[in-house]
Amino acid sequence: SQKIEQNSEALNIQEGKTATLTCNYTNYSPAYLQWYRQDPGRGPVFLLLIRENEKEKRKERLKVTFDTTLKQSLFHITASQPADSATYLCALHTGTASKLTFGTGTRLQVTL
Amino acid sequence: DTGVSQNPRHKITKRGQNVTFRCDPISEHNRLYWYRQTLGQGPEFLTYFQNEAQLEKSRLLSDRFSAERPKGSFSTLEIQRTEQGDSAMYLCASSLVRTGGNEQFFGPGTRLTVL
């Protein structure tokens, strides 16, 4: 069966450290993978998109890697800040369909 | 504010009643999506439109659910004969189709509570 797995346990890290979140998938062949941020009571906000032929993408303090052999994406936030505290969702987009299939999300808590 | 808007933000209804939600996408976006999200889960795809055409519906979308996008602008999602299991956050998103993977812009959602 198809699955997208993100660590359901909250990730607690100290301000200034690098947060690394994992997204693993099975039985998908996504053309693209996206990461979204979601704050409580709000809709998801797009952060980064990475294509299947790209290994890494960066945007400011954010970095995403995509390994289609391992079927895994890693999402890094460097120099984390308390304002980065939120739930982070990975989503797969296959080339033949427009919909996104989301993981359950990982809650990140950055403390002082 | 030129983002995606949804109304109402909250809706409380009794089981068996009908409810309708509205989504106004970003004006130049030609694709509009509906998702449902329950606590602790990621959004689940329900349906999407390209302009006014409804191109895909999830198996999750029972015959009590119907969505429209007249004239390719705003969209409505109606749930008939609501059940307690319909309680969730209903999210609308829009995007501009292009050759790359399309990022989706989400609205704030409508939280439905069925008593």
Side-chain angles (χ1 to χ4, degrees), chain B residues 5-12 19-24 34 75 77 88-91 107-113:
Chain B
S5 61
Q6 292 187 247
N7 288 290
R9 293 293 309 277
H10 299 91
K11 179 72 177 176
I12 299 173
V19 295
T20 300
F21 309 140
R22 177 178 170 126
C23 171
D24 287 89
W34 285 98
S75 176
L77 178 69
M89 175 78 87
Y90 289 84
L91 293 162
T110 295
R111 180 165 295 285
L112 173 66
T113 302

Side-chain angles (χ1 to χ4, degrees), chain A residues 8-52:
Chain A
S8 58
E9 290 183 13
L11 178 63
N12 294 296
I13 64 163
Q14 200 172 18
E15 182 182 22
K17 303 289 188 186
T18 296
T20 298
L21 286 70
T22 304
C23 175
N24 294 297
Y25 59 92
T26 54
N27 294 323
Y28 284 104
S29 297
Y32 314 98
L33 188 147
Q34 301 185 20
W35 284 88
Y36 287 78
R37 169 186 172 137
Q38 188 171 28
D39 291 288
R42 299 189 162 214
V45 174
F46 172 79
L47 295 174
L48 279 169
L49 177 151
I50 188 164
R51 294 176 173 78
E52 60 181 339

Side-chain angles (χ1 to χ4, degrees), chain B residues 2-115:
Chain B
T2 56
V4 177
S5 61
Q6 292 187 247
N7 288 290
R9 293 293 309 277
H10 299 91
K11 179 72 177 176
I12 299 173
T13 191
K14 292 183 180 176
R15 188 162 50 96
Q17 298 294 305
N18 299 343
V19 295
T20 300
F21 309 140
R22 177 178 170 126
C23 171
D24 287 89
I26 293 171
S27 58
E28 63 268 26
H29 285 183
N30 53 358
R31 282 194 178 165
L32 186 149
Y33 312 81
W34 285 98
Y35 293 85
R36 179 171 66 188
Q37 186 175 26
T38 54
L39 200 61
Q41 300 297 314
E44 289 179 299
F45 171 80
L46 294 178
T47 188
Y48 92 94
F49 295 82
Q50 180 155 321
N51 301 314
E52 64 274 10
Q54 189 173 17
L55 296 187
E56 187 174 346
K57 290 167 62 172
S58 165
R59 290 188 301 273
L60 295 174
L61 214 62
S62 78
D63 56 7
R64 297 185 297 105
F65 288 69
S66 62
E68 292 182 344
R69 192 183 183 198
K71 303 177 186 176
S73 56
F74 71 92
S75 176
T76 58
L77 178 69
E78 182 183 15
I79 309 174
Q80 296 183 325
R81 306 181 302 281
T82 52
E83 301 172 357
Q84 287 184 324
D86 296 331
S87 295
M89 175 78 87
Y90 289 84
L91 293 162
C92 174
S94 69
S95 72
L96 182 63
V97 67
R98 47 190 173 208
T99 53
N102 55 322
E103 63 190 81
Q104 296 184 14
F105 294 82
F106 283 81
T110 295
R111 180 165 295 285
L112 173 66
T113 302
V114 182
L115 302 176

Side-chain angles (χ1 to χ4, degrees), chain A residues 21-89:
Chain A
L21 286 70
T22 304
C23 175
N24 294 297
Y25 59 92
T26 54
N27 294 323
Y28 284 104
S29 297
Y32 314 98
L33 188 147
Q34 301 185 20
W35 284 88
Y36 287 78
R37 169 186 172 137
Q38 188 171 28
D39 291 288
R42 299 189 162 214
V45 174
F46 172 79
L47 295 174
L48 279 169
L49 177 151
I50 188 164
R51 294 176 173 78
E52 60 181 339
N53 60 352
E54 296 176 321
K55 296 288 187 190
E56 182 178 300
K57 184 76 80 69
R58 291 176 185 259
K59 180 182 173 183
E60 297 172 353
R61 296 185 295 112
L62 308 180
K63 183 178 88 170
V64 172
T65 62
F66 192 11
D67 188 326
T68 55
T69 303
L70 291 179
K71 296 187 182 298
Q72 181 181 78
S73 174
L74 299 178
F75 177 78
H76 307 271
I77 306 175
T78 58
S80 58
Q81 304 165 0
D84 296 326
S85 299
T87 295
Y88 292 85
L89 299 156

